[in-house]
Amino acid sequence: MGVVTKEQLAGMSYEDFIQIFGNVIEHCAICSAAVWAKRPFYNLKELHSAICTFVDELPKIGREGILRLHPDLAGRIAELGRLTSESSKEQLSAGLNDITVEEKSVLQALNDRYKSKFGFPFVICARENKKQAILSGIAARVENDKDVELATGIAEVKKIAFYRLLDIVEHSDEEAKL
Ligand SMILES: NC(=O)N[C@H]1NC(=O)NC1=O
């Protein structure tokens, strides 16, 4: 995908917008379809902040649904090679392709425990966390209560979205800081 200039972003048609930004929130094109109504966006931060506001204004079950759209890290969908290209790249950057059999079984057991406790999967920004940080992160976070984990998971989704936008929209060094 080529880099979208700020001028292109500001004048983009709905069809291009949904095609280009439809997976900024994993499997949740409705986020981009909705925020298109808030155009024009003159830079990456404006678009990111509109997406974050839309997510924050969803009812609790909607925010839980957003988390549920995320694939497990090193989970079955990854094993089957059916991740989105974005998620695949993120899991690779965390080193999850180099996971040992033992680490994978620990992570999958914790993913299952987390999901059965909270009803949504463990979500963490894989571009900010390497394999060991993911393993220690899930072990600690599974002990939290559900409201804390909903808020933490949604904060991670916003970081994931920010990095996805950085890959798409032209930006200055200053704008690249989260
Ligand atoms: N479960 C989970 O955190 N998945 C995600 N994290 C990330 O950085 N990309 C994903 O798909």
Side-chain angles (χ1 to χ4, degrees):
M1 188 184 302
V3 171
V4 169
T5 66
K6 291 181 179 180
E7 290 69 28
Q8 287 170 333
L9 173 63
M12 198 173 276
S13 70
Y14 170 73
E15 287 73 17
D16 286 348
F17 191 82
I18 201 75
Q19 170 89 24
I20 294 171
F21 297 109
N23 205 49
V24 166
I25 303 288
E26 181 79 1
H27 293 305
C28 198
I30 192 177
C31 295
S32 300
V35 304
W36 192 73
K38 304 279 186 191
R39 73 195 182 284
F41 302 105
Y42 293 109
N43 57 53
L44 179 157
K45 293 226 166 191
E46 286 182 11
L47 176 53
H48 183 248
S49 128
I51 292 171
C52 291
T53 301
F54 176 77
V55 170
D56 286 337
E57 289 177 351
L58 289 171
K60 200 168 172 177
I61 57 166
R63 281 174 280 126
E64 291 180 9
I66 296 256
L67 294 179
R68 231 170 264 132
L69 286 167
H70 288 73
D72 282 352
L73 295 168
R76 230 181 110 57
I77 295 176
E79 277 171 2
L80 294 171
R82 299 221 312 254
L83 292 171
T84 61
S85 62
E86 293 90 341
S87 181
S88 168
K89 187 174 149 190
E90 289 152 4
Q91 301 207 27
L92 205 64
S93 83
L96 289 173
N97 54 320
D98 284 335
I99 201 162
T100 65
V101 175
E102 292 75 25
E103 287 167 337
K104 192 171 190 165
S105 75
V106 169
L107 182 54
Q108 291 185 342
L110 284 165
N111 272 331
D112 289 346
R113 202 177 130 210
Y114 186 101
K115 250 187 286 189
S116 64
K117 178 171 177 185
F118 300 117
F120 47 77
F122 171 73
V123 175
I124 191 167
C125 177
R127 277 161 81 167
E128 284 193 347
N129 293 278
K130 297 276 176 242
K131 182 176 72 173
Q132 287 310 330
I134 289 170
L135 282 161
S136 56
I138 188 169
R141 280 177 49 190
V142 76
E143 305 301 338
N144 288 337
D145 69 33
K146 188 169 175 174
D147 285 347
V148 170
E149 276 313 298
L150 177 57
T152 306
I154 289 294
E156 295 297 310
V157 166
K158 292 176 186 174
K159 289 185 212 166
I160 296 168
F162 186 80
Y163 289 109
R164 290 185 178 184
L165 285 171
L166 276 185
D167 286 342
I168 306 174
V169 182
E170 109 183 314
H171 55 269
S172 63
D173 290 348
E174 196 50 41
E175 286 170 317
K177 293 181 194 144
L178 190 58

